[in-house]
Amino acid sequence: MRFWKLINPQVKQLFGKTSFYRAFTIMSKPKLLLTRDDYPRVSPAYDILEEMFDIDTYPVSEGRMPRDIFIEKLKGCSALLCNPHQKVDKEVLDRSGENLKVIATFSVGHDHLHLDEIKSRGIRVGTVGPVSSDTVAEYNIGLAIAVSRRFQQRHNWIASGEWDLKQTQTIISDIIGLKGATVGIVGLGNIGLETAKLLKAFKVSKILYTSRRVKEEGTALGAQLVPLDTLCAESDFIFVTCALTKDTEQLIGRKQFSLMKPTAILVNTSRGGLLDQEALVEFLKDKKIGGAGLDVMIPEPLPADHPLVQLDNCVLTPHTSSATKAVRDEKSSTSAENIIRGYKGEPMIYEL
């Protein structure tokens, strides 16, 4: 009440007491930036966010938020909810100011966050954890089947009107199935492990995997730890499910592709940077490997005229392996909880 008495009479007349207090409350809230406006508004977490923060966002109808706009919007913010398309590095942090206290990423991976730089400033970081492991594992199997059974080629036969001609004249002898196959999983983390579990139902003959150590869960499934080159040489299907780090960038390059069988099927739903993409295009064009199923690539979005788009032995999807309603809702709820708890100084659900 004493504060109200100090306000300029013209401001009082313009707003009125109730409207003024509402405006003052909004202005005094800490700022939260949502990098897109279509994160599911799951209650009660988002109700709490709206009470705690003055929320700014960016319309997804305009595409991905450009970096310059991202930096401008982040200035003065106390909290950030982002996805892998926004890189948070030294430049962003320097220009955003000193208010930023907590970051939640709407993803399992966090290679877009420069953690050393972020942590050095005392900023807390939360992820969604293993929420999407089952869903991405399903997607892995789907891509493997789509590529190995030539869904793209078969669709093109119909679209070009060559169904009868192709089916009559062409005998495809390089089709392989999962039953009886040797399968390699690069990185037996949560997603890799769930993929291995599903593969057992398809009666694969052998599961190989790479890791820094023997995984008890893998041993329980009958999976065998082998070097990467051995996995590439022996596998009929190769699933890339490891995280992208400085050590794993272009982990699978020209040497590894040269070791693969001419019928080998490669599936990547992790990060495009794990592969030497130029070498992959070459090996696919020359039919030196059987095919590839990619949900991730470089760059994203991939230009419509990119060489990968022109290949009928490559199935591409736009980074959507975890995009089910149930998973998106859970990721959104977890992200909101991470911001709330992190800002309050409480333990986050999944903190880095």
Side-chain angles (χ1 to χ4, degrees), residues 10-30:
Q10 291 180 333
V11 175
K12 292 181 182 180
Q13 186 176 2
L14 179 63
F15 287 98
K17 182 182 293 187
T18 303
S19 297
F20 179 83
Y21 275 125
R22 184 180 297 116
F24 179 77
T25 300
I26 291 172
M27 291 173 61
S28 64
K29 288 181 179 180

Side-chain angles (χ1 to χ4, degrees), residues 10 29 33 41 47 49 57 67 97 110 164 174-175 185 201 208 213 219 266 282 293 305 311 324 339:
Q10 291 180 333
K29 288 181 179 180
L33 175 61
R41 302 298 179 99
D47 295 335
L49 280 185
T57 187
R67 182 174 171 87
H110 49 82
D164 184 59
D174 62 348
I175 297 294
I185 301 176
L208 309 177
R213 59 179 177 79
T219 302
L266 175 70
E282 177 187 318
D305 61 351
L311 300 171
T324 66
I339 289 174

Side-chain angles (χ1 to χ4, degrees), residues 288-308:
K288 293 179 179 178
I289 62 173
L294 308 176
D295 186 51
V296 289
M297 52 222 73
I298 297 175
E300 294 183 7
L302 195 71
D305 61 351
H306 192 278
L308 282 172

Side-chain angles (χ1 to χ4, degrees), residues 50-288:
E50 290 177 350
E51 291 177 4
M52 287 180 61
F53 296 95
D54 175 15
I55 299 177
D56 190 14
T57 187
Y58 187 80
V60 71
S61 60
E62 296 185 14
R64 292 179 179 173
M65 188 191 305
R67 182 174 171 87
D68 59 335
I69 295 179
F70 172 53
I71 291 173
E72 187 63 31
K73 281 182 169 288
L74 191 59
K75 288 180 180 178
C77 285
S78 297
L80 168 67
L81 172 52
C82 64
N83 57 38
H85 308 307
Q86 279 77 43
K87 182 178 290 187
V88 182
D89 54 18
K90 185 177 186 301
E91 180 192 13
V92 169
L93 295 169
D94 284 345
R95 296 177 61 183
S96 66
E98 299 180 354
N99 287 349
L100 194 59
K101 298 294 186 292
V102 59
I103 297 172
T105 180
F106 195 83
S107 62
V108 178
H110 49 82
D111 49 284
H112 56 297
L113 304 177
H114 290 207
L115 287 179
D116 290 344
E117 189 67 37
I118 293 170
K119 291 298 188 71
S120 71
R121 301 171 189 239
I123 300 169
R124 300 180 66 186
V125 182
T127 76
V128 297
V131 60
S132 59
S133 298
D134 290 341
T135 303
V136 178
E138 290 176 7
Y139 209 88
N140 279 336
I141 304 300
L143 276 178
I145 293 173
V147 178
S148 65
R149 302 299 293 273
R150 303 291 191 258
F151 283 11
Q152 189 74 36
Q153 290 178 7
R154 303 300 194 270
H155 171 84
N156 292 343
W157 288 2
I158 297 172
S160 65
E162 298 180 291
W163 181 347
D164 184 59
L165 180 65
K166 290 290 187 181
Q167 198 156 330
T168 301
Q169 295 184 356
T170 306
I171 298 175
I172 299 179
S173 59
D174 62 348
I175 297 294
I176 61 174
L178 285 167
K179 183 178 180 180
T182 295
V183 176
I185 301 176
V186 182
L188 200 68
N190 291 317
I191 293 173
L193 185 61
E194 292 303 323
T195 301
K197 291 177 181 177
L198 291 180
L199 286 167
K200 296 291 287 186
F202 287 87
K203 301 178 182 178
V204 298
S205 67
K206 187 186 297 185
I207 298 176
L208 309 177
Y209 71 94
T210 64
S211 179
R212 295 176 182 176
R213 59 179 177 79
V214 174
K215 296 290 186 75
E216 293 181 6
E217 303 93 331
T219 302
L221 289 171
Q224 179 184 352
L225 174 66
V226 296
L228 177 61
D229 287 358
T230 300
L231 182 148
C232 290
E234 296 185 8
S235 298
D236 298 301
F237 292 84
I238 299 169
F239 296 90
V240 182
T241 63
C242 61
L244 177 61
T245 66
K246 292 179 180 178
D247 294 332
T248 61
E249 188 171 4
Q250 293 202 359
L251 180 66
I252 298 180
R254 190 171 299 275
K255 176 188 176 184
Q256 286 71 37
F257 289 127
S258 68
L259 294 171
M260 294 179 189
K261 299 177 182 180
T263 56
I265 304 299
L266 175 70
V267 173
N268 184 14
T269 56
S270 188
R271 289 291 185 268
L274 292 164
L275 310 180
D276 180 341
Q277 191 164 280
E278 289 187 8
L280 174 61
V281 169
E282 177 187 318
F283 275 74
L284 288 171
K285 275 185 177 180
D286 296 341
K287 310 296 183 183
K288 293 179 179 178

